[in-house]
Amino acid sequence: MERKKTFTSYDVARLAGVSQSAVSRCYKSGASVSKKTRDKVEKAAKKLGYQPNALARSLITARSNSVAVIISNLTNLYYPEVLAQLSQYFSEKGMRVLLFAVDTESQVDGVLGQVLQYQVDGVIAAVKLTLEQIKKFEDRETPLIFYNRHINSHAASAVCCDQADGATVLTQKLIDFGHKKFAYISGPEDSMVGIERQKATLTTLEKSDISDYTIWNGDFSYDGATNATCKLMNEAKQKPDAIICANDVSAIGVIDTLRYEYNIKVPEDISVVGFDGVGPATWASFNLTTIRQPVKRMTKAAVEMMLERIDTPSLANEKRVFSGIFIEGNSAKI
Amino acid sequence: MERKKTFTSYDVARLAGVSQSAVSRCYKSGASVSKKTRDKVEKAAKKLGYQPNALARSLITARSNSVAVIISNLTNLYYPEVLAQLSQYFSEKGMRVLLFAVDTESQVDGVLGQVLQYQVDGVIAAVKLTLEQIKKFEDRETPLIFYNRHINSHAASAVCCDQADGATVLTQKLIDFGHKKFAYISGPEDSMVGIERQKATLTTLEKSDISDYTIWNGDFSYDGATNATCKLMNEAKQKPDAIICANDVSAIGVIDTLRYEYNIKVPEDISVVGFDGVGPATWASFNLTTIRQPVKRMTKAAVEMMLERIDTPSLANEKRVFSGIFIEGNSAKI
DNA sequence: GAGAAAAATGACTTCGGATGCAAAAATTCT
DNA sequence: AGAATTTTTGCATCCGAAGTCATTTTTCTC
């Protein structure tokens, strides 16, 4: 495994007849270089196809210009959009994204070591971290921003969509319309987002003295929702007239199952609502009534907060909470 | 911007009462370290929360253990799955993914400089590159593997799904069933994949002396397909009895439009087929008849080829072409 | 227990670019 | 033109871990 033959600043310097420092300065904005030297260097660099070695630079400047993005479940339909946006915005700011896609949140711990080793300037985590794990970043003064995960303590910054608010709005609208019997298709038990949505939903129901609801275990997935729906239809004593789903993909699974397995009309017979506002939610087959998360604004906020904190590590932690946008589709009578 | 206070191998060495070399050796498998020293070092490292600096290591070893993945369009529904798999497999092999998500392929050129600067050990490109761009990687002996893009010359390795074969199978099945009048919803003009599928489709039709087909411009997207379908239904002299779509998302757009805008039954009145085998294709609403790309096998192959070439840069270029899998759904009479 | 072989260790150098500093060159001012 | 500035420039050093090599320690053999 012999070293690759790439050119270094010394090669450029030799060819241009200047010192290595001069070459280095040509790649640093605001450095003092005469036009003559700059021309010589640029010409030589071009001739050799020279590109500065970002690793060497990072080693000395202690800035890698890269950010780790830790995402739990890229097949979730919601996250790819988030990732694309983050990547886009960071790229515009001259930062690179080092992707850590974990299958299950249990893999997170193994990944964190890697994250630290790569000397990333910051971390965006769309997974849960323990306080201990958070502390590791704190100790290093590496800014950490959660995406759609709160942390009880104020140990880290976060960008979130207001899950509770969105769920409340949705539920209240269903109640106001006159729905009486509810079912809730839940997310995975260990999902913070799922728990918040569920809690807000149930609270809202109970505030209106509605106790006629059942909860069925989905897991944010189409298949999970399908199973939950079958169970619901087979086991529940009476059919609900509204089904509130933990996310859009679940809602889609529910709708499909109702329509194609039980020949039930949505929204005529049963209303179904989701949460997220993913692409397929707008497809004519579903035309979901849902809460859309303002992904662009959220990711942009995350990137901004990150850059601020990289420049000024002492900045206090901050949480930015965005309200979801109610989308009136045609999957619920509202 | 003062330097972050992280511990280095010297700190560990001092605390453990050994030399820096000893610390370094403890982190290299197969190095010669006595148990006593190793224990001392491990204890000290743990106490300080020491993590080796991957940048410094990469600088001296000329191996960054990271791979650039350049992807054009993460909102495409097909790519997130690819990215998740790549990330997963690379991670298992101890490699990191540096993500370069470009919006349009015109952004690629700007990104390539970055890719090189980061000293990635290899590049997976799901975008088109010019021969000149390819040559840059060749010059550096950085392995380059295309994903679902051919390059005419043998200048680079590639992992592809056999677009032509898949399209041929699908088309032939439709012909064999007895469909006579066809429409094709195309992909973007500059998409290699789209062109190959289209060409194979048309060739197959013509081989069976079918000239009764029309082509409508989609762009791999739901909305594009919707527009194309409306045009088709409004402008075509007679309705097709089969619509072949450049990808699954288009097919879904077509089905929805036919059903909800024109009240046409699929597959009873018109057959619709797609290509890719994305998640939503299996949803009950669509139950698409399609060709599924074996994404797991393809990404695994890409990762394997990459690791081989990183170890042995002199390896000849190689193309691995996988056949798609015919999925008989219920969106086409076949 | 002496001698030979093997294993472990640390001093020193290296990777490639950035930067402080002093010297040199260019510019401005008397 | 000469002095006083200001701008450029190059030398030397640094970042943090890895590898080379000579030296020391341990293990093994007879």
Side-chain angles (χ1 to χ4, degrees), chain B residues 279-306:
Chain B
T282 64
W283 292 353
S285 283
F286 313 117
N287 197 3
L288 264 189
T289 297
T290 188
I291 299 287
R292 174 180 302 152
Q293 298 195 46
V295 173
K296 288 200 179 186
R297 284 171 57 212
M298 290 170 67
T299 48
K300 191 161 190 190
V303 171
E304 280 166 7
M305 284 171 64
M306 181 60 81

PDB file of all heavy atoms in Angstrom, chain B residues 279-306:
ATOM      1  N   GLY B 279     -40.175   1.277  -2.127  1.00  0.00           N
ATOM      2  CA  GLY B 279     -41.108   0.878  -1.075  1.00  0.00           C
ATOM      3  C   GLY B 279     -42.571   1.070  -1.436  1.00  0.00           C
ATOM      4  O   GLY B 279     -43.355   0.111  -1.404  1.00  0.00           O
ATOM      5  N   PRO B 280     -42.978   2.277  -1.773  1.00  0.00           N
ATOM      6  CA  PRO B 280     -44.397   2.532  -2.032  1.00  0.00           C
ATOM      7  C   PRO B 280     -44.988   1.706  -3.171  1.00  0.00           C
ATOM      8  O   PRO B 280     -46.204   1.584  -3.276  1.00  0.00           O
ATOM      9  CB  PRO B 280     -44.416   4.023  -2.383  1.00  0.00           C
ATOM     10  CG  PRO B 280     -43.256   4.588  -1.638  1.00  0.00           C
ATOM     11  CD  PRO B 280     -42.203   3.515  -1.699  1.00  0.00           C
ATOM     12  N   ALA B 281     -44.151   1.138  -4.005  1.00  0.00           N
ATOM     13  CA  ALA B 281     -44.673   0.329  -5.110  1.00  0.00           C
ATOM     14  C   ALA B 281     -45.472  -0.855  -4.591  1.00  0.00           C
ATOM     15  O   ALA B 281     -46.400  -1.322  -5.243  1.00  0.00           O
ATOM     16  CB  ALA B 281     -43.525  -0.156  -5.987  1.00  0.00           C
ATOM     17  N   THR B 282     -45.110  -1.305  -3.409  1.00  0.00           N
ATOM     18  CA  THR B 282     -45.799  -2.484  -2.875  1.00  0.00           C
ATOM     19  C   THR B 282     -47.057  -2.124  -2.100  1.00  0.00           C
ATOM     20  O   THR B 282     -47.787  -3.002  -1.674  1.00  0.00           O
ATOM     21  CB  THR B 282     -44.870  -3.266  -1.925  1.00  0.00           C
ATOM     22  OG1 THR B 282     -44.577  -2.435  -0.797  1.00  0.00           O
ATOM     23  CG2 THR B 282     -43.573  -3.646  -2.619  1.00  0.00           C
ATOM     24  N   TRP B 283     -47.292  -0.846  -1.891  1.00  0.00           N
ATOM     25  CA  TRP B 283     -48.475  -0.454  -1.137  1.00  0.00           C
ATOM     26  C   TRP B 283     -49.744  -0.906  -1.860  1.00  0.00           C
ATOM     27  O   TRP B 283     -49.805  -0.885  -3.096  1.00  0.00           O
ATOM     28  CB  TRP B 283     -48.504   1.074  -0.949  1.00  0.00           C
ATOM     29  CG  TRP B 283     -47.419   1.573  -0.043  1.00  0.00           C
ATOM     30  CD1 TRP B 283     -46.552   0.811   0.685  1.00  0.00           C
ATOM     31  CD2 TRP B 283     -47.071   2.932   0.214  1.00  0.00           C
ATOM     32  NE1 TRP B 283     -45.695   1.611   1.393  1.00  0.00           N
ATOM     33  CE2 TRP B 283     -45.985   2.926   1.125  1.00  0.00           C
ATOM     34  CE3 TRP B 283     -47.565   4.163  -0.213  1.00  0.00           C
ATOM     35  CZ2 TRP B 283     -45.398   4.087   1.603  1.00  0.00           C
ATOM     36  CZ3 TRP B 283     -46.983   5.332   0.257  1.00  0.00           C
ATOM     37  CH2 TRP B 283     -45.904   5.301   1.163  1.00  0.00           C
ATOM     38  N   ALA B 284     -50.730  -1.267  -1.087  1.00  0.00           N
ATOM     39  CA  ALA B 284     -51.943  -1.849  -1.659  1.00  0.00           C
ATOM     40  C   ALA B 284     -52.600  -0.947  -2.690  1.00  0.00           C
ATOM     41  O   ALA B 284     -53.187  -1.430  -3.661  1.00  0.00           O
ATOM     42  CB  ALA B 284     -52.930  -2.170  -0.544  1.00  0.00           C
ATOM     43  N   SER B 285     -52.500   0.341  -2.518  1.00  0.00           N
ATOM     44  CA  SER B 285     -53.115   1.255  -3.474  1.00  0.00           C
ATOM     45  C   SER B 285     -52.558   1.064  -4.877  1.00  0.00           C
ATOM     46  O   SER B 285     -53.248   1.304  -5.861  1.00  0.00           O
ATOM     47  CB  SER B 285     -52.862   2.711  -3.072  1.00  0.00           C
ATOM     48  OG  SER B 285     -53.701   3.074  -2.016  1.00  0.00           O
ATOM     49  N   PHE B 286     -51.320   0.656  -4.952  1.00  0.00           N
ATOM     50  CA  PHE B 286     -50.676   0.586  -6.264  1.00  0.00           C
ATOM     51  C   PHE B 286     -50.366  -0.851  -6.650  1.00  0.00           C
ATOM     52  O   PHE B 286     -50.692  -1.280  -7.741  1.00  0.00           O
ATOM     53  CB  PHE B 286     -49.404   1.432  -6.249  1.00  0.00           C
ATOM     54  CG  PHE B 286     -49.616   2.790  -5.641  1.00  0.00           C
ATOM     55  CD1 PHE B 286     -48.957   3.171  -4.481  1.00  0.00           C
ATOM     56  CD2 PHE B 286     -50.509   3.676  -6.222  1.00  0.00           C
ATOM     57  CE1 PHE B 286     -49.179   4.415  -3.907  1.00  0.00           C
ATOM     58  CE2 PHE B 286     -50.736   4.919  -5.659  1.00  0.00           C
ATOM     59  CZ  PHE B 286     -50.064   5.291  -4.498  1.00  0.00           C
ATOM     60  N   ASN B 287     -49.718  -1.550  -5.752  1.00  0.00           N
ATOM     61  CA  ASN B 287     -49.366  -2.929  -6.024  1.00  0.00           C
ATOM     62  C   ASN B 287     -48.776  -3.041  -7.423  1.00  0.00           C
ATOM     63  O   ASN B 287     -49.256  -3.770  -8.288  1.00  0.00           O
ATOM     64  CB  ASN B 287     -50.631  -3.788  -5.888  1.00  0.00           C
ATOM     65  CG  ASN B 287     -50.264  -5.253  -5.758  1.00  0.00           C
ATOM     66  OD1 ASN B 287     -49.082  -5.611  -5.718  1.00  0.00           O
ATOM     67  ND2 ASN B 287     -51.262  -6.109  -5.726  1.00  0.00           N
ATOM     68  N   LEU B 288     -47.731  -2.301  -7.604  1.00  0.00           N
ATOM     69  CA  LEU B 288     -47.159  -2.116  -8.935  1.00  0.00           C
ATOM     70  C   LEU B 288     -46.550  -3.376  -9.527  1.00  0.00           C
ATOM     71  O   LEU B 288     -45.837  -4.114  -8.852  1.00  0.00           O
ATOM     72  CB  LEU B 288     -46.050  -1.078  -8.877  1.00  0.00           C
ATOM     73  CG  LEU B 288     -46.362   0.363  -9.220  1.00  0.00           C
ATOM     74  CD1 LEU B 288     -45.055   1.148  -9.294  1.00  0.00           C
ATOM     75  CD2 LEU B 288     -47.099   0.442 -10.536  1.00  0.00           C
ATOM     76  N   THR B 289     -46.796  -3.558 -10.783  1.00  0.00           N
ATOM     77  CA  THR B 289     -46.034  -4.514 -11.565  1.00  0.00           C
ATOM     78  C   THR B 289     -44.785  -3.775 -12.040  1.00  0.00           C
ATOM     79  O   THR B 289     -44.888  -2.727 -12.673  1.00  0.00           O
ATOM     80  CB  THR B 289     -46.860  -4.993 -12.767  1.00  0.00           C
ATOM     81  OG1 THR B 289     -48.003  -5.681 -12.264  1.00  0.00           O
ATOM     82  CG2 THR B 289     -46.044  -5.909 -13.649  1.00  0.00           C
ATOM     83  N   THR B 290     -43.635  -4.307 -11.695  1.00  0.00           N
ATOM     84  CA  THR B 290     -42.416  -3.522 -11.911  1.00  0.00           C
ATOM     85  C   THR B 290     -41.187  -4.421 -11.960  1.00  0.00           C
ATOM     86  O   THR B 290     -41.296  -5.632 -11.799  1.00  0.00           O
ATOM     87  CB  THR B 290     -42.271  -2.474 -10.769  1.00  0.00           C
ATOM     88  OG1 THR B 290     -41.199  -1.600 -11.059  1.00  0.00           O
ATOM     89  CG2 THR B 290     -42.003  -3.166  -9.443  1.00  0.00           C
ATOM     90  N   ILE B 291     -40.059  -3.798 -12.186  1.00  0.00           N
ATOM     91  CA  ILE B 291     -38.786  -4.494 -12.075  1.00  0.00           C
ATOM     92  C   ILE B 291     -38.086  -3.958 -10.843  1.00  0.00           C
ATOM     93  O   ILE B 291     -37.858  -2.756 -10.742  1.00  0.00           O
ATOM     94  CB  ILE B 291     -37.898  -4.224 -13.304  1.00  0.00           C
ATOM     95  CG1 ILE B 291     -38.553  -4.723 -14.586  1.00  0.00           C
ATOM     96  CG2 ILE B 291     -36.516  -4.837 -13.116  1.00  0.00           C
ATOM     97  CD1 ILE B 291     -38.567  -6.223 -14.741  1.00  0.00           C
ATOM     98  N   ARG B 292     -37.773  -4.837  -9.942  1.00  0.00           N
ATOM     99  CA  ARG B 292     -37.105  -4.367  -8.732  1.00  0.00           C
ATOM    100  C   ARG B 292     -35.597  -4.469  -8.885  1.00  0.00           C
ATOM    101  O   ARG B 292     -35.062  -5.517  -9.256  1.00  0.00           O
ATOM    102  CB  ARG B 292     -37.547  -5.177  -7.524  1.00  0.00           C
ATOM    103  CG  ARG B 292     -36.743  -4.804  -6.256  1.00  0.00           C
ATOM    104  CD  ARG B 292     -37.177  -5.591  -5.055  1.00  0.00           C
ATOM    105  NE  ARG B 292     -38.591  -5.390  -4.810  1.00  0.00           N
ATOM    106  CZ  ARG B 292     -39.378  -6.283  -4.228  1.00  0.00           C
ATOM    107  NH1 ARG B 292     -38.880  -7.424  -3.844  1.00  0.00           N
ATOM    108  NH2 ARG B 292     -40.655  -6.018  -4.056  1.00  0.00           N
ATOM    109  N   GLN B 293     -34.946  -3.387  -8.582  1.00  0.00           N
ATOM    110  CA  GLN B 293     -33.486  -3.428  -8.583  1.00  0.00           C
ATOM    111  C   GLN B 293     -33.014  -4.079  -7.292  1.00  0.00           C
ATOM    112  O   GLN B 293     -33.499  -3.733  -6.221  1.00  0.00           O
ATOM    113  CB  GLN B 293     -32.912  -2.015  -8.650  1.00  0.00           C
ATOM    114  CG  GLN B 293     -33.284  -1.262  -9.901  1.00  0.00           C
ATOM    115  CD  GLN B 293     -32.419  -0.030 -10.088  1.00  0.00           C
ATOM    116  OE1 GLN B 293     -31.206  -0.098  -9.933  1.00  0.00           O
ATOM    117  NE2 GLN B 293     -33.040   1.092 -10.408  1.00  0.00           N
ATOM    118  N   PRO B 294     -32.082  -4.991  -7.387  1.00  0.00           N
ATOM    119  CA  PRO B 294     -31.598  -5.660  -6.170  1.00  0.00           C
ATOM    120  C   PRO B 294     -30.633  -4.756  -5.421  1.00  0.00           C
ATOM    121  O   PRO B 294     -29.418  -4.963  -5.438  1.00  0.00           O
ATOM    122  CB  PRO B 294     -30.893  -6.901  -6.705  1.00  0.00           C
ATOM    123  CG  PRO B 294     -30.479  -6.530  -8.086  1.00  0.00           C
ATOM    124  CD  PRO B 294     -31.434  -5.494  -8.607  1.00  0.00           C
ATOM    125  N   VAL B 295     -31.208  -3.763  -4.761  1.00  0.00           N
ATOM    126  CA  VAL B 295     -30.390  -2.705  -4.170  1.00  0.00           C
ATOM    127  C   VAL B 295     -29.363  -3.249  -3.185  1.00  0.00           C
ATOM    128  O   VAL B 295     -28.205  -2.840  -3.182  1.00  0.00           O
ATOM    129  CB  VAL B 295     -31.283  -1.664  -3.474  1.00  0.00           C
ATOM    130  CG1 VAL B 295     -30.443  -0.655  -2.715  1.00  0.00           C
ATOM    131  CG2 VAL B 295     -32.138  -0.951  -4.494  1.00  0.00           C
ATOM    132  N   LYS B 296     -29.784  -4.187  -2.370  1.00  0.00           N
ATOM    133  CA  LYS B 296     -28.835  -4.687  -1.375  1.00  0.00           C
ATOM    134  C   LYS B 296     -27.643  -5.344  -2.037  1.00  0.00           C
ATOM    135  O   LYS B 296     -26.491  -5.098  -1.662  1.00  0.00           O
ATOM    136  CB  LYS B 296     -29.524  -5.679  -0.437  1.00  0.00           C
ATOM    137  CG  LYS B 296     -30.483  -5.009   0.502  1.00  0.00           C
ATOM    138  CD  LYS B 296     -30.786  -5.860   1.716  1.00  0.00           C
ATOM    139  CE  LYS B 296     -31.737  -5.075   2.616  1.00  0.00           C
ATOM    140  NZ  LYS B 296     -31.996  -5.744   3.879  1.00  0.00           N
ATOM    141  N   ARG B 297     -27.937  -6.168  -3.016  1.00  0.00           N
ATOM    142  CA  ARG B 297     -26.815  -6.833  -3.680  1.00  0.00           C
ATOM    143  C   ARG B 297     -25.957  -5.831  -4.433  1.00  0.00           C
ATOM    144  O   ARG B 297     -24.724  -5.939  -4.481  1.00  0.00           O
ATOM    145  CB  ARG B 297     -27.325  -7.926  -4.611  1.00  0.00           C
ATOM    146  CG  ARG B 297     -27.768  -9.174  -3.836  1.00  0.00           C
ATOM    147  CD  ARG B 297     -28.481 -10.167  -4.723  1.00  0.00           C
ATOM    148  NE  ARG B 297     -27.681 -10.578  -5.857  1.00  0.00           N
ATOM    149  CZ  ARG B 297     -28.179 -10.904  -7.048  1.00  0.00           C
ATOM    150  NH1 ARG B 297     -29.484 -10.859  -7.253  1.00  0.00           N
ATOM    151  NH2 ARG B 297     -27.389 -11.268  -8.033  1.00  0.00           N
ATOM    152  N   MET B 298     -26.606  -4.875  -5.019  1.00  0.00           N
ATOM    153  CA  MET B 298     -25.839  -3.881  -5.784  1.00  0.00           C
ATOM    154  C   MET B 298     -24.934  -3.051  -4.887  1.00  0.00           C
ATOM    155  O   MET B 298     -23.753  -2.841  -5.177  1.00  0.00           O
ATOM    156  CB  MET B 298     -26.794  -2.973  -6.563  1.00  0.00           C
ATOM    157  CG  MET B 298     -27.495  -3.680  -7.715  1.00  0.00           C
ATOM    158  SD  MET B 298     -28.815  -2.679  -8.442  1.00  0.00           S
ATOM    159  CE  MET B 298     -27.864  -1.336  -9.170  1.00  0.00           C
ATOM    160  N   THR B 299     -25.505  -2.581  -3.780  1.00  0.00           N
ATOM    161  CA  THR B 299     -24.678  -1.755  -2.904  1.00  0.00           C
ATOM    162  C   THR B 299     -23.572  -2.590  -2.276  1.00  0.00           C
ATOM    163  O   THR B 299     -22.445  -2.131  -2.129  1.00  0.00           O
ATOM    164  CB  THR B 299     -25.527  -1.129  -1.780  1.00  0.00           C
ATOM    165  OG1 THR B 299     -26.330  -2.139  -1.189  1.00  0.00           O
ATOM    166  CG2 THR B 299     -26.427  -0.043  -2.324  1.00  0.00           C
ATOM    167  N   LYS B 300     -23.903  -3.820  -1.963  1.00  0.00           N
ATOM    168  CA  LYS B 300     -22.885  -4.674  -1.376  1.00  0.00           C
ATOM    169  C   LYS B 300     -21.739  -4.869  -2.374  1.00  0.00           C
ATOM    170  O   LYS B 300     -20.558  -4.803  -2.009  1.00  0.00           O
ATOM    171  CB  LYS B 300     -23.495  -6.024  -1.004  1.00  0.00           C
ATOM    172  CG  LYS B 300     -22.590  -6.862  -0.170  1.00  0.00           C
ATOM    173  CD  LYS B 300     -23.338  -7.956   0.571  1.00  0.00           C
ATOM    174  CE  LYS B 300     -22.402  -8.603   1.571  1.00  0.00           C
ATOM    175  NZ  LYS B 300     -22.960  -9.815   2.153  1.00  0.00           N
ATOM    176  N   ALA B 301     -22.111  -5.104  -3.613  1.00  0.00           N
ATOM    177  CA  ALA B 301     -21.091  -5.267  -4.651  1.00  0.00           C
ATOM    178  C   ALA B 301     -20.240  -4.013  -4.760  1.00  0.00           C
ATOM    179  O   ALA B 301     -19.007  -4.076  -4.872  1.00  0.00           O
ATOM    180  CB  ALA B 301     -21.758  -5.571  -5.989  1.00  0.00           C
ATOM    181  N   ALA B 302     -20.892  -2.878  -4.702  1.00  0.00           N
ATOM    182  CA  ALA B 302     -20.150  -1.621  -4.831  1.00  0.00           C
ATOM    183  C   ALA B 302     -19.147  -1.486  -3.692  1.00  0.00           C
ATOM    184  O   ALA B 302     -17.985  -1.113  -3.904  1.00  0.00           O
ATOM    185  CB  ALA B 302     -21.122  -0.439  -4.830  1.00  0.00           C
ATOM    186  N   VAL B 303     -19.587  -1.826  -2.510  1.00  0.00           N
ATOM    187  CA  VAL B 303     -18.699  -1.713  -1.351  1.00  0.00           C
ATOM    188  C   VAL B 303     -17.533  -2.694  -1.478  1.00  0.00           C
ATOM    189  O   VAL B 303     -16.373  -2.340  -1.250  1.00  0.00           O
ATOM    190  CB  VAL B 303     -19.479  -1.955  -0.041  1.00  0.00           C
ATOM    191  CG1 VAL B 303     -18.533  -2.059   1.138  1.00  0.00           C
ATOM    192  CG2 VAL B 303     -20.480  -0.836   0.174  1.00  0.00           C
ATOM    193  N   GLU B 304     -17.847  -3.896  -1.884  1.00  0.00           N
ATOM    194  CA  GLU B 304     -16.775  -4.883  -2.041  1.00  0.00           C
ATOM    195  C   GLU B 304     -15.757  -4.446  -3.087  1.00  0.00           C
ATOM    196  O   GLU B 304     -14.546  -4.501  -2.866  1.00  0.00           O
ATOM    197  CB  GLU B 304     -17.364  -6.238  -2.454  1.00  0.00           C
ATOM    198  CG  GLU B 304     -17.933  -7.015  -1.282  1.00  0.00           C
ATOM    199  CD  GLU B 304     -18.794  -8.176  -1.746  1.00  0.00           C
ATOM    200  OE1 GLU B 304     -18.824  -8.446  -2.970  1.00  0.00           O
ATOM    201  OE2 GLU B 304     -19.444  -8.793  -0.889  1.00  0.00           O
ATOM    202  N   MET B 305     -16.274  -4.010  -4.211  1.00  0.00           N
ATOM    203  CA  MET B 305     -15.365  -3.570  -5.264  1.00  0.00           C
ATOM    204  C   MET B 305     -14.504  -2.419  -4.774  1.00  0.00           C
ATOM    205  O   MET B 305     -13.316  -2.334  -5.075  1.00  0.00           O
ATOM    206  CB  MET B 305     -16.162  -3.128  -6.496  1.00  0.00           C
ATOM    207  CG  MET B 305     -16.706  -4.296  -7.288  1.00  0.00           C
ATOM    208  SD  MET B 305     -17.866  -3.758  -8.576  1.00  0.00           S
ATOM    209  CE  MET B 305     -16.781  -2.803  -9.626  1.00  0.00           C
ATOM    210  N   MET B 306     -15.131  -1.558  -4.010  1.00  0.00           N
ATOM    211  CA  MET B 306     -14.393  -0.407  -3.508  1.00  0.00           C
ATOM    212  C   MET B 306     -13.265  -0.853  -2.589  1.00  0.00           C
ATOM    213  O   MET B 306     -12.113  -0.425  -2.746  1.00  0.00           O
ATOM    214  CB  MET B 306     -15.352   0.524  -2.759  1.00  0.00           C
ATOM    215  CG  MET B 306     -14.697   1.763  -2.219  1.00  0.00           C
ATOM    216  SD  MET B 306     -13.964   2.753  -3.525  1.00  0.00           S
ATOM    217  CE  MET B 306     -15.415   3.614  -4.125  1.00  0.00           C
TER     218      MET B 306
END
